[in-house]
Amino acid sequence: MVYYEIKKVFSKTSNKIAVLILIFLLGIICNFAVHVEYVNEEGNHESGLLALHKLKEMKKEWEGELTEEKLIQVIEENARINETPEAQSKDIQQQDIAYSRKQGFEDIRTMISNSYSGFQEWDYWTIDSLKPEDAKNFYSNRTESLKEYLYSPEQDVVSQFLSEKEKAFLVKQYEKMETPLIYEDFIGWDESEYNAPMLIVFMCLILGFLVAGIFSSETKLKADSIFFSAYHGRKKAVLAKLVAGLAIVTGLYWLVMLLYSAIVLGILGISGADCMIQISLGGWKSFYNITFLQRHLLILFGGYIAILFVILVTMLVSAKTKSAVLSVMVPFILLFIPAFLSGGDSHILNQILMVLPDQLMQINKPLKTFSLVELGGRVTGVLNVLFPVYAALSVILWPVVYQVYRRAEVK
């Protein structure tokens, strides 16, 4: 019966087109993710696998512990290149030649800008004004700039709404980060993280479209009276519909996401898996002390839990209303209304938005922001709450959807 329900879903032309669109989007997003540019010794831009190999070889020279000595080496090498005629030239081609010599330590240069620019500011050229003796403040700057941001009289809107417990929690998390950080090329993990949320959101919309008609098909065909009057109509047949929907969602989600991970990481490489996310541009301020591999797993499982919850809500609406049109709107409402309302100055609204399921589909956002929750006097990151809450809600919704459709009235 489950196989029959799955077959019904994919027998529809519109659903076949939806799957083709998903495959097309997977290809487009993978293409975006693996497109890497390299500037050669002549200042020309290259792309492709050979360019990727050259770039990774340059980065490999700077891998290892980010000690004070390594940072001094980067500052001195940057200053040396800045003194060359190519760097001082006003010709763009000559400037690109100078840049080509900095590509190996570009990631470290970015970290230095994060450390020395201040908490709310970022200046790409910060390293150009540093001296070797400044390297000793690299790690302490991160915590000190946070404290200044949290406790300065000129606090901005964000820090004003943080309680003393939350501020202390953030400082403690920053101090927990083990130093010196280890640096390895992490381009595969960074590109994967950057593009994955887009794929997950598209997948949620398409999967919602696929399952929206599972509980309304018999009503649409005027066959619901026959369906419910059958011997297994209100038991096994209903359960088969529910299992079919979850099987489609689970199967397609993991097939697409594992294929996406295999393509992106297979081409760009998995080096840097055990490095802390703080060595990346977007991860420097994160209070989550996790590795790139752990972040990738959070993205995969967070996306699945969020989509599972949204799809179960979609199926609940479908079972209750017997309308594919109304149920297919659920993913759009749960995804686009929060996106439309975000960015406002209302603290209460922002508190509500940060606990909605779309946050699990776009984990890069809560990882980079101070989204905190205080439960029983204990402060924790919002992700530590979202995962168990939406997993539990999904488990609860399973029997609810079953009971709602099983008791449906035939009109």
Side-chain angles (χ1 to χ4, degrees):
M1 295 179 74
V2 174
Y3 172 75
Y4 173 71
E5 291 294 339
I6 294 175
K7 188 177 180 180
K8 278 172 57 181
V9 171
F10 290 109
S11 65
K12 296 180 180 179
T13 302
S14 58
N15 288 348
K16 291 178 181 178
I17 294 174
V19 173
L20 290 176
I21 291 174
L22 179 59
I23 295 172
F24 175 75
L25 289 172
L26 173 62
I28 293 295
I29 293 174
C30 284
N31 183 61
F32 284 151
V34 301
H35 181 77
V36 175
E37 284 198 349
Y38 164 78
V39 181
N40 62 27
E41 297 84 352
E42 298 175 354
N44 297 319
H45 292 251
E46 299 179 5
S47 59
L49 293 179
L50 183 58
L52 173 65
H53 175 72
K54 292 178 181 178
L55 181 60
K56 291 175 78 70
E57 285 298 311
M58 290 190 71
K59 290 175 178 286
K60 190 174 292 185
E61 297 178 11
W62 297 90
E63 291 181 350
E65 291 187 349
L66 288 177
T67 59
E68 184 176 334
E69 291 73 20
K70 176 65 70 66
L71 295 168
I72 290 174
Q73 187 180 354
V74 171
I75 293 172
E76 290 179 339
E77 179 64 10
N78 181 78
R80 185 191 69 78
I81 296 173
N82 286 344
E83 294 297 321
T84 61
E86 293 83 1
Q88 296 183 6
S89 172
K90 294 183 179 181
D91 181 73
I92 299 298
Q93 186 80 7
Q94 293 297 308
Q95 291 177 7
D96 283 344
I97 292 175
Y99 171 77
S100 71
R101 300 164 185 167
K102 298 181 179 182
Q103 290 173 107
F105 58 84
E106 182 66 18
D107 294 328
I108 303 177
R109 176 193 176 114
T110 299
M111 279 187 274
I112 290 175
S113 294
N114 278 327
S115 174
Y116 292 87
S117 295
F119 198 84
Q120 289 295 86
E121 300 175 0
W122 194 82
D123 182 2
Y124 177 80
W125 309 103
T126 296
I127 190 174
D128 294 343
S129 62
L130 297 179
K131 298 178 181 179
E133 53 266 28
D134 294 323
K136 64 179 181 294
N137 299 320
F138 177 73
Y139 292 110
S140 61
N141 280 347
R142 182 171 179 266
T143 304
E144 292 305 315
S145 61
L146 171 69
K147 291 179 180 178
E148 183 178 352
Y149 165 72
L150 295 176
Y151 297 104
S152 171
E154 294 81 22
Q155 294 173 328
D156 68 2
V157 175
V158 177
S159 64
Q160 286 180 20
F161 288 111
L162 293 172
S163 67
E164 290 303 315
K165 279 188 178 181
E166 290 172 332
K167 293 178 181 179
F169 170 80
L170 291 171
V171 173
K172 186 177 180 180
Q173 286 296 110
Y174 267 47
E175 292 173 342
K176 277 185 178 180
M177 186 184 77
E178 295 184 6
T179 58
L181 291 169
I182 306 295
Y183 170 74
E184 288 182 21
D185 167 45
F186 56 89
I187 189 170
W189 302 104
D190 217 35
E191 290 298 327
S192 174
E193 181 260 358
Y194 182 77
N195 293 279
M198 187 191 314
L199 179 59
I200 292 173
V201 168
F202 280 132
M203 200 166 4
C204 182
L205 298 176
I206 292 174
L207 291 175
F209 179 81
L210 291 178
V211 305
I214 285 183
F215 290 106
S216 61
S217 57
E218 276 73 25
T219 302
K220 183 178 180 180
L221 296 172
K222 307 297 182 182
D224 50 341
S225 58
I226 299 174
F227 178 86
F228 286 114
S229 63
Y231 183 74
H232 293 296
R234 291 189 180 272
K235 293 182 180 180
K236 289 185 178 180
V238 175
L239 183 61
K241 285 181 174 291
L242 182 57
V243 173
L246 297 180
I248 291 170
V249 171
T250 301
L252 279 178
Y253 176 84
W254 286 108
L255 177 63
V256 170
M257 290 308 297
L258 292 178
L259 187 58
Y260 167 78
S261 299
I263 293 172
V264 176
L265 296 175
I267 294 175
L268 299 182
I270 59 172
S271 61
D274 294 328
C275 293
M276 305 298 290
I277 63 172
Q278 279 75 16
I279 68 173
S280 64
L281 174 60
W284 175 258
K285 295 178 184 177
S286 177
F287 63 85
Y288 291 93
N289 296 312
I290 58 176
T291 65
F292 285 108
L293 175 58
Q294 290 170 330
R295 184 182 69 180
H296 189 70
L297 293 175
L298 287 177
I299 291 171
L300 292 180
F301 285 97
Y304 176 66
I305 291 173
I307 286 182
L308 190 61
F309 171 78
V310 172
I311 295 305
L312 281 166
V313 174
T314 301
M315 294 174 73
L316 177 62
V317 173
S318 178
K320 187 69 176 177
T321 65
K322 299 179 185 178
S323 169
V325 175
L326 290 176
S327 54
V328 80
M329 293 172 61
V330 172
F332 286 90
I333 293 172
L334 292 178
L335 290 176
F336 290 115
I337 289 185
F340 178 77
L341 295 175
S342 64
D345 294 332
S346 173
H347 176 63
I348 296 177
L349 178 60
N350 290 332
Q351 290 293 104
I352 295 173
L353 293 177
M354 78 174 186
V355 296
L356 295 181
D358 68 301
Q359 296 297 298
L360 285 177
M361 297 185 202
Q362 305 175 75
I363 280 182
N364 55 334
K365 290 184 178 180
L367 279 178
K368 297 173 183 177
T369 57
F370 292 162
S371 298
L372 303 173
V373 176
E374 186 173 344
L375 298 172
R378 182 179 178 182
V379 177
T380 187
V382 70
L383 288 178
N384 296 327
V385 175
L386 294 181
F387 271 88
V389 166
Y390 281 103
L393 288 175
S394 298
V395 172
I396 293 171
L397 279 173
W398 173 290
V400 172
V401 175
Y402 174 75
Q403 291 296 334
V404 166
Y405 194 64
R406 194 169 79 87
R407 296 174 180 176
E409 295 181 6
V410 179
K411 297 181 180 180

